[in-house]
Amino acid sequence: MILVTGGAGYIGSHTVRELRSRGYDVVVYDNLTTGHIEAVGDAIFVKGDLFDVELLKDTFKKYGVDSVIHFAAYSLVGESMTNPLKYYHNNVAGTLALLEAMVACDVKYLVFSSSAATYGDTGEDIISETSPQKPTSVYGMTKLMMEQLMADFDKAYGLKYVALRYFNAAGAHESGEIGEDHNPESHLIPIIMQVLNGKREKLGIFGDDYPTPDGTCIRDYIHITDLADAHIKALESLKSGASSNAYNLGNGNGFSVKEVVETVEKVVGKPVKREIVPRRAGDPAVLVASSDKIKKELGWKPEYDSLEKIVASAWKWHSTHPDGFKTK
Ligand code: UFG
């Protein structure tokens, strides 16, 4: 049995779908602060908080949990800068509580949702796992500290973990039944979709004076189902005896904000109203991943290998769910 913290959230719920479709038994453990119960599907659901160590232990015992995939965290870079207490408390101390329960119940395997934000501004064109980890945000620092906690728990208690450092998660499940639904929304592709759905007047492009060919920031967009697949491969590797490890997850191709907007216009066939607005604090100019390590070691390969495919899957969800999970 696999326990998925944050399994009602965007990346968590897609991973739960993928696990269930491959026949795994899953318990979703989520406090529903930002997650959606509608996203949980047919997995077992326990409403709980990371800080409730007793409930975690009871849940591990009751369902015979042998491994955990840990998504539950706050993830807004901007908010982390103005409210570090919330981020260090929930993300770092919350993970410590989870690890405490895991050690107490002898749950040995953990796949962890880390982030490209642990690297910060490396100045490198393509980021590999050996690039220096110097986060520029509190959010990124919390993810790096969580990686450190796991490394120390491995040394002391033999906890085996894989940290997956994702770049920009995007798109939605092929069924169109689950997808991205944040409130407030801050991510580029869903914001563009809100403009197309008439929920927002226009897109503000955060700066066109970056040192990139068209002046807008470049990111590496990776489909949510490809991310989900990587979590399962990582867990399977641990269960077959692999050592703890960290992997980047991206497509290896960078797209500027302007290129993303143009791709959406092409895929959807409608113009997107936009304007250039000031830069957003903390945005690095370019973040592109090398995912060679996970391809080589775990045989992972992205199925959604073009931005068009990723955007089309996002539109399938947003066009049918303009109000997210609240759409009637
Ligand atoms: N952008 C705009 N306008 C918007 C929203 C975004 O121009 O209204 C731009 C951003 O400046 C950035 C790009 O679109 O250049 C992508 O922005 P997102 O907010 O969609 O994603 P980020 O790259 O900021 O963040 C993502 C994850 C974070 C993670 C980070 C790692 O969402 O959780 O990558 O750097 F920490």
Side-chain angles (χ1 to χ4, degrees), residues 212-271:
T212 60
D214 68 18
T216 63
C217 289
I218 293 178
R219 293 288 181 271
D220 182 341
Y221 294 87
I222 165 97
H223 193 267
I224 193 86
T225 305
D226 288 326
L227 283 183
D229 176 49
H231 289 78
I232 299 171
K233 287 197 162 60
L235 186 59
E236 287 169 349
S237 80
L238 289 176
K239 285 189 173 177
S240 56
S243 310
S244 296
N245 221 326
Y247 297 103
N248 285 347
L249 281 175
N251 263 311
N253 300 314
F255 292 93
S256 72
V257 176
K258 281 186 182 166
E259 286 172 329
V260 173
V261 179
E262 283 157 14
T263 304
V264 176
E265 288 181 323
K266 201 171 99 194
V267 169
V268 176
K270 285 199 243 172

Side-chain angles (χ1 to χ4, degrees), residues 75-77 115-118 120 137 139-140 143 166-169 180 185-192 200 203-207 210 216-219 221 257 277 279-280 282-285 287:
S75 60
L76 297 175
V77 173
S115 171
T118 60
S137 67
Y139 166 72
K143 290 277 170 175
Y166 347 123
F167 285 61
N168 287 59
E180 199 163 2
E185 189 51 75
S186 68
H187 295 103
L188 178 62
I189 293 175
I191 285 179
I192 297 173
R200 199 183 270 260
L203 164 74
I205 295 180
F206 296 142
Y210 283 93
T216 63
C217 289
I218 293 178
R219 293 288 181 271
Y221 294 87
V257 176
V277 297
R279 287 182 177 199
R280 181 171 69 178
D283 275 345
L287 279 176

Side-chain angles (χ1 to χ4, degrees), residues 79-292:
E79 186 187 47
S80 77
M81 304 304 282
T82 53
N83 196 350
L85 174 64
K86 177 175 172 179
Y87 277 70
Y88 284 116
H89 180 70
N90 183 75
N91 294 6
V92 182
T95 297
L96 199 54
L98 171 68
L99 293 176
E100 179 186 344
M102 287 179 70
V103 170
C105 295
D106 204 28
V107 179
K108 287 264 184 252
Y109 306 112
L110 178 62
V111 176
F112 171 62
S113 156
S114 190
S115 171
T118 60
Y119 293 112
D121 239 335
T122 61
E124 293 170 20
D125 287 345
I126 306 272
I127 297 172
S128 73
E129 290 80 358
T130 51
S131 300
Q133 286 180 289
K134 292 184 186 154
T136 49
S137 67
V138 169
Y139 166 72
M141 185 55 84
T142 67
K143 290 277 170 175
L144 185 56
M145 291 170 91
M146 290 144 89
E147 286 195 12
Q148 185 62 48
L149 288 180
M150 294 186 300
D152 290 337
F153 273 61
D154 182 6
K155 280 188 214 127
Y157 310 113
L159 176 114
K160 296 295 164 209
Y161 71 93
V162 169
L164 296 175
R165 299 177 189 147
Y166 347 123
F167 285 61
N168 287 59
H173 193 260
E174 60 176 6
S175 65
E177 289 168 12
I178 54 172
E180 199 163 2
D181 180 0
H182 298 115
N183 189 16
E185 189 51 75
S186 68
H187 295 103
L188 178 62
I189 293 175
I191 285 179
I192 297 173
M193 304 286 165
Q194 287 180 343
V195 176
L196 288 172
N197 276 330
K199 300 278 165 192
R200 199 183 270 260
E201 197 211 333
K202 56 190 162 191
L203 164 74
I205 295 180
F206 296 142
D208 66 350
D209 56 352
Y210 283 93
T212 60
D214 68 18
T216 63
C217 289
I218 293 178
R219 293 288 181 271
D220 182 341
Y221 294 87
I222 165 97
H223 193 267
I224 193 86
T225 305
D226 288 326
L227 283 183
D229 176 49
H231 289 78
I232 299 171
K233 287 197 162 60
L235 186 59
E236 287 169 349
S237 80
L238 289 176
K239 285 189 173 177
S240 56
S243 310
S244 296
N245 221 326
Y247 297 103
N248 285 347
L249 281 175
N251 263 311
N253 300 314
F255 292 93
S256 72
V257 176
K258 281 186 182 166
E259 286 172 329
V260 173
V261 179
E262 283 157 14
T263 304
V264 176
E265 288 181 323
K266 201 171 99 194
V267 169
V268 176
K270 285 199 243 172
V272 175
K273 203 170 167 198
R274 72 267 209 174
E275 65 175 342
I276 307 297
V277 297
R279 287 182 177 199
R280 181 171 69 178
D283 275 345
V286 181
L287 279 176
V288 180
S290 160
S291 303
D292 290 349

